[in-house]
Amino acid sequence: MIKAITFDLWDTVFIDDTDEPKRKAAGRPTKAVERRELVKQFVNKHKQVSQEIVNTAYNAQDAAFRKAWHDQHITWSVNERLEIVLKGLGVTLPKDEMAELVRLHEEMELEFRPNFVPGVHEAIKLLSEKYKLGVISDAIFSPGKSLRQLLEDEGLLQYFSTFVFSDEVGCSKPAECVFNAAKNRLGVEFNEIVHIGDREHNDILGPERMGMKSILCIAALDRGSNRNRADAWFENYSELPSIMDKLKDQ
């Protein structure tokens, strides 16, 4: 019997990069460009470097991060990522400047916010009446504290009792430690949990290996996943309550 549901966030609860048109309309560069410009701005207080050199160092760090994230299921913090960039540039920032540079990175998606998937508010509220709800989400640039803020400002934080963010637990999906953390915090067994997400490798195969059920969300983006691997899938959040009614008795 299903007792709990865990949700991925990006492209499951809110839609990745839907903040970019808002940034453009405000005359701001993309997040990727602004991050690199911020580094140059802070570094140039102590050492003159070109934007090209900053971009090279930042790109190298990005590649290393993706390798560790994908292959080792580790999510480096923003502070760790920026330390790598600065080391490549031969610069050490004072603590207060480093803290501000990190903050500007981590809160970028709080200034221009992503759109939430249509219908997700109603579905979460309804499901919270029957199940324990949790979040299992990788935190790339926006850490757990920023992701909580996005949920709180939408009135959704209150419905979740458990949060497993990769920057806080030290590992990322589909590593077993992520799902173990969620299980222990929810106080249920693996076979009593359904996980909902948009990536087959992380959100379907990962839970499957742990004995959980899974639902593929393609309400924000269809990545071309094999829908037969999941226990169910949906294109619209209005379908989710009835899907859960079917799964809970299986």
Side-chain angles (χ1 to χ4, degrees):
M1 184 175 180
I2 303 302
K3 296 181 180 179
I5 306 171
T6 55
F7 287 79
D8 172 48
L9 289 183
W10 293 106
D11 286 329
T12 300
V13 173
F14 34 76
I15 310 173
D16 200 8
D17 286 337
T18 47
D19 56 322
E20 293 290 9
K22 301 171 189 178
R23 296 180 63 86
K24 184 176 181 180
R28 295 279 286 277
T30 65
K31 295 191 295 290
V33 169
E34 185 162 306
R35 290 175 190 130
R36 288 155 176 78
E37 290 179 347
L38 281 170
V39 170
K40 180 177 184 295
Q41 173 187 331
F42 276 71
V43 167
N44 279 0
K45 297 176 183 178
H46 307 278
K47 175 183 178 179
Q48 293 300 306
V49 295
S50 68
Q51 189 66 62
E52 182 181 5
I53 293 298
V54 170
N55 292 349
T56 298
Y58 212 113
N59 292 345
Q61 172 277 138
D62 269 354
F65 168 83
R66 287 193 295 270
K67 182 72 173 175
W69 177 55
H70 185 271
D71 293 354
Q72 300 175 26
H73 314 310
I74 297 171
T75 306
W76 296 339
S77 69
V78 171
N79 191 87
E80 290 172 321
R81 297 179 70 171
L82 289 174
E83 284 180 346
I84 293 170
V85 175
L86 294 172
K87 185 175 182 180
L89 296 172
V91 176
T92 300
L93 295 180
K95 288 185 178 180
D96 60 335
E97 292 183 15
M98 184 65 173
E100 179 63 7
L101 181 58
V102 169
R103 184 190 70 79
L104 290 170
H105 274 65
E106 291 183 340
E107 296 182 2
M108 200 169 284
E109 284 171 311
L110 293 180
E111 182 181 7
F112 295 94
R113 302 186 175 209
N115 297 333
F116 279 63
V117 179
V120 70
H121 298 75
E122 296 81 2
I124 287 174
K125 181 179 179 180
L126 184 63
L127 292 170
S128 71
E129 298 172 1
K130 296 182 178 180
Y131 308 96
K132 292 182 178 181
L133 301 186
V135 167
I136 301 178
S137 180
D138 289 352
I140 307 302
F141 278 107
S142 297
K145 61 183 179 181
S146 294
L147 297 175
R148 284 185 180 88
Q149 190 66 53
L150 287 173
L151 291 171
E152 183 174 13
D153 292 347
E154 289 286 324
L156 292 176
L157 191 73
Q158 62 182 312
Y159 299 115
F160 296 96
S161 62
T162 299
F163 300 90
V164 179
F165 293 114
S166 60
D167 66 307
E168 296 176 355
V169 298
C171 55
S172 55
K173 295 178 294 183
E176 291 185 5
C177 60
V178 173
F179 302 108
N180 280 324
K183 167 188 172 293
N184 293 336
R185 295 177 187 184
L186 287 166
V188 298
E189 299 301 322
F190 281 124
N191 63 0
E192 296 173 326
I193 307 173
V194 172
H195 179 69
I196 300 172
D198 66 298
R199 292 179 180 269
E200 184 174 292
H201 182 257
N202 290 352
D203 299 307
I204 306 304
L205 303 186
E208 180 183 273
R209 285 194 292 270
M210 306 302 292
M212 300 164 62
K213 291 187 182 297
S214 62
I215 299 175
L216 178 68
C217 172
I218 58 173
L221 178 66
D222 187 348
R223 300 180 184 277
S225 298
N226 180 356
R227 301 176 191 179
N228 293 328
R229 292 304 300 264
D231 292 285
W233 57 272
F234 66 92
E235 294 180 291
N236 192 299
Y237 263 100
S238 63
E239 305 169 59
L240 185 54
S242 62
I243 289 174
M244 286 303 306
D245 285 340
K246 295 175 182 177
L247 286 182
K248 72 178 182 181
D249 296 324
Q250 291 182 5

